[in-house]
Amino acid sequence: MESDTSAAPPGTTEPSGLALLGLGPLEIRAYQALASVRELRPDELRTLLGQERGAADRTFAALAEKGLLFEARDPHRLVAMPPDVVGEALIQQRMAQLHAARAEFAKLAHEYRSAVDAGETSTLVEVIPQELVPRMTVQLNHQATTDVMWVNAPPYLGTVEAPETHELQRLSQGVRYRCIYARQMLDDPYLLEVVRRDMLAGEQARVVDRVPLKLGIVDRRIALVPLLTGSAASSLLVHRCSLLDALIALFETMWLSALPLDGIVGAACDTDVGGGLASEDSRLLTLLLAGNTDEAVARHLGMSKRTVVRRVRQLMDRAGVTSRMQLGWQASQLGWIDPPAMTANSPRFRSEDQDDTP
């Protein structure tokens, strides 16, 4: 029985990018060994690979067919073709195949959209069953190329790890992420740490006291929105149409009125932040403006409620104001925090306005 030249040889576990070009593990090893010295006798390369004559010769023939080596006759030796030349050729060939695959998928998508009567609009809005929503969320993150907008709030389906992993990958590739979180997220230490990590990777995050609905929009061409507000249910997949335009406008309006969470990230280091404000004070202000009670702020910062009240009093004195409501406005003017919609977004910040004494 002939051995398979594409089978992984014993002891090799590291994946190679060359495998994406259609090279098997043994072919990769053979070409890498040959390219490092430019040419070898066949028996020398067989010895390096630890392969019997039959399997090794099939590998050499496969490499020659792909244009990666040629056999010189006098004397008989194997010569590696220049990697930059043959590599570019193989890459262009694979890119052509991928473009053909994309065209095929586009054709299938057109047929899929055309499967209903021309007068129907059901192709613009699809119902995604509840059990498929987590997978769809991951796929949308994976498809993003330029811009992603999320409105995030409980309840969460499964874990956040899978979509978060794809977000980090897309952030590293230059995709812009803007995320709006419901204030309840600040009560969950794990979720807060996830948000802090993503912001350090480049995510822009803001918080509102409550959100009207959960929402995801990718590249302004497709959106995912739950059928029922406040429950883990099936979702709607919305393609380009007036409804998608309305969802984008809703996100932009919410974004303008939401409170930036930059102070949460600033608290991860000991340096001062905007306007010379200490990072812990910046985080305290951010938590208060997000609608947290003094007790919740104390819990987040690991201090007593009395200390929180005292620190707020000190910030008021420093800002030259006499109320917490004034402090929110003045903090914006002094550059301690970003300004969007502090008054509209901070009912609890205002509700404790009378409790300004230590």
Side-chain angles (χ1 to χ4, degrees):
M1 178 177 175
E2 293 186 349
S3 61
D4 182 3
T5 61
S6 65
T12 60
T13 57
E14 286 284 333
S16 170
L18 299 182
L20 298 175
L21 301 177
L23 275 68
L26 189 55
E27 294 173 2
I28 293 172
R29 287 182 58 212
Y31 182 69
Q32 289 174 336
L34 188 59
S36 65
V37 294
R38 302 191 66 167
E39 61 180 67
L40 287 170
R41 294 196 310 272
D43 59 330
E44 291 176 327
L45 188 51
R46 292 189 202 103
T47 301
L48 282 175
L49 296 176
Q51 295 292 314
E52 296 180 355
R53 186 185 188 95
D57 287 351
R58 284 190 295 274
T59 299
F60 304 157
L63 289 174
E65 185 177 353
K66 293 180 173 72
L68 291 167
L69 65 79
F70 72 92
E71 295 190 47
R73 294 300 177 186
D74 188 19
H76 189 199
R77 64 195 188 282
L78 304 174
V79 181
M81 295 295 291
D84 52 344
V85 176
V86 294
E88 184 63 26
L90 288 175
I91 290 171
Q92 292 297 329
Q93 180 182 356
R94 181 50 56 96
M95 288 177 65
Q97 294 170 346
L98 291 174
H99 285 307
R102 173 179 286 176
E104 185 68 20
F105 272 111
K107 178 183 176 182
L108 291 172
H110 176 73
E111 294 173 355
Y112 177 79
R113 307 288 177 223
S114 304
V116 296
D117 293 337
E120 295 187 19
T121 59
S122 59
T123 54
L124 300 177
V125 179
E126 304 175 54
V127 177
I128 306 299
Q130 176 181 337
E131 61 272 16
L132 296 182
V133 171
R135 183 184 303 175
M136 179 60 65
T137 302
V138 171
Q139 290 177 349
L140 288 177
N141 274 283
H142 186 69
Q143 293 172 12
T145 59
T146 58
D147 184 68
V148 176
M149 299 175 277
W150 285 112
V151 178
N152 215 332
Y156 299 102
L157 293 175
T159 69
V160 297
E161 282 305 318
E164 287 296 329
T165 299
H166 282 282
E167 176 177 341
L168 292 176
Q169 293 173 351
R170 288 295 173 265
L171 282 168
S172 68
Q173 295 166 359
V175 177
R176 181 191 187 197
Y177 271 78
R178 290 187 293 162
C179 301
I180 299 173
Y181 296 95
R183 186 192 55 78
Q184 303 97 299
M185 177 273 299
L186 298 177
D187 294 329
D188 188 321
Y190 170 72
L191 291 178
L192 189 59
E193 187 57 35
V194 169
V195 173
R196 180 182 292 131
R197 179 200 66 189
D198 292 344
M199 290 185 68
L200 289 172
E203 175 188 296
Q204 300 174 50
R206 297 187 176 186
V207 65
V208 294
D209 192 60
R210 41 180 128 22
V211 300
L213 78 172
K214 296 171 68 173
L215 174 64
I217 304 172
V218 173
D219 295 340
R220 296 178 178 267
R221 63 175 178 79
I222 194 168
L224 186 68
V225 57
L227 271 171
L228 300 176
T229 302
S231 64
S234 300
S235 294
L236 296 177
L237 192 65
V238 183
H239 299 271
R240 285 194 175 99
C241 62
S242 58
L243 176 57
L244 178 60
D245 294 339
L247 292 173
I248 293 174
L250 172 63
F251 178 90
E252 296 292 359
T253 300
M254 292 178 62
W255 182 258
L256 289 175
S257 63
L259 177 73
L261 280 174
D262 296 344
I264 299 295
V265 174
C269 60
D270 294 328
T271 58
D272 288 351
V273 292
L277 193 67
S279 59
E280 191 172 66
D281 285 335
S282 175
R283 188 179 181 193
L284 184 150
L285 273 176
T286 300
L287 291 168
L288 282 176
L289 288 169
N292 288 274
T293 62
D294 285 353
E295 289 86 350
V297 174
R299 185 171 62 252
H300 280 297
L301 298 181
M303 58 180 64
S304 67
K305 177 185 176 182
R306 184 176 182 83
T307 301
V308 170
V309 174
R310 177 172 54 81
R311 296 283 288 269
V312 172
R313 179 72 263 176
Q314 291 171 347
L315 288 171
M316 290 168 57
D317 292 341
R318 181 176 172 183
V321 299
T322 58
S323 71
R324 291 189 175 197
M325 186 173 183
Q326 292 173 330
L327 175 61
W329 173 257
Q330 191 65 11
S332 168
Q333 301 304 303
L334 294 171
W336 293 352
I337 55 173
D338 288 333
M342 293 168 299
T343 55
N345 190 41
S346 311
R348 287 198 179 90
F349 191 77
R350 297 195 306 272
S351 68
E352 299 191 14
D353 196 45
Q354 303 303 315
D355 185 18
D356 290 336
T357 56

